[in-house]
Amino acid sequence: MAAASDRRRINAPSSGTSAPVFARTVKEPGYLQSLRPARTRRPNELRKTFLQTGIVPSASGSAYLEIPTTSTPNSKSTLIPPTSSLKITASIQGPKPLPRSAPFSPSLLLTTTVKFAPFATRHRRGYIRDAAERDLGVHLETALRGVIIGERWPKSGVEVVITVLEGDEDGWWGDAGQESASGMNGGGWALLNVLAGCITVASAAIVDAGIDVVDVVSGGVAAIVRDPTARNETERKVRILDPSPAEHQEIVAACVVGYLASRDEITEIWMKGDVGADSDGLIEGATYAAVGSVGVLKDVLLEAVEAKFKNQAATTSKEGTKRKQQDVKMTG
């Protein structure tokens, strides 16, 4: 009786329990390799992109970017997705006056913060920003600094906060703990795709906040991958646009750019890997990928502006109708 009234203890279940039985990951020889994703798009074909503005009401401007995952014929036979999708949110805080103790600044002070959510990757991230996140913030600030017209906001500051809800992967999850043929598995190739998405979604959020810019900037990625089915060494290297690292066994080099389409200018470039003599072609491919993102960016911003004007027109008409009803007719 005393044991039953002791609330400080958690009593065991009345009935017995059995040990859990886990399903085998490898059902048969070659089953795990059959789940490996493969690129079904053409080399110059981009993935579909979802972009929306105005998702954070408390922020001056905000946007959300998502690039869905690709599916394989055998992906339905497992609960683990073949590749990760890219999901990024951006919010703008400001422009707001600087503190009185801050020195005078003739132009707008830009601050960028990129942070991965703890659940953004398969390996849990920490709550404190690491070196990779700080590097992404520096690259993003460089891409946006040449776009904003800072002279119109003296002694003011604006903060661009980027949250990566789900990030691209450096390689396929089935190769965890293994090294690729070149030893570059997990070499940080996914950071280039994340940076391109951050540039595009930050540009949409800045325009949604009403900050003056010279043009909208978009990010694009191109890569040189090695095709193991090629017959000779010259045909083995293939240049592709918008790569997904999980779909390729070996990536030789990659490049990401921040591109202004109407001005034909590059505000940010980050190249990684053994580029060789084809650096100009890799930059040109990344520029083509950025041009593809510009089309989505402009369509979304145009829809947002049209919706905003329609809401203002509806609000004005309602106020005019209410004012007419409140008017008093004077008679002589």
Side-chain angles (χ1 to χ4, degrees), residues 115 125-131 133-134:
K115 184 70 182 72
R125 291 270 184 169
Y127 292 95
I128 301 176
R129 288 203 306 162
D130 53 15
E133 294 168 337
R134 289 192 293 268

Side-chain angles (χ1 to χ4, degrees), residues 24 36 86-87 97 143 154 179 184 203 240 250 284 302 324:
R24 294 177 57 187
R36 178 185 291 274
L86 187 62
K87 300 176 182 178
E179 292 293 333
M184 291 186 179
S203 178
I240 60 175
E250 184 179 356
E284 185 179 0
L302 182 60
K324 289 181 180 179

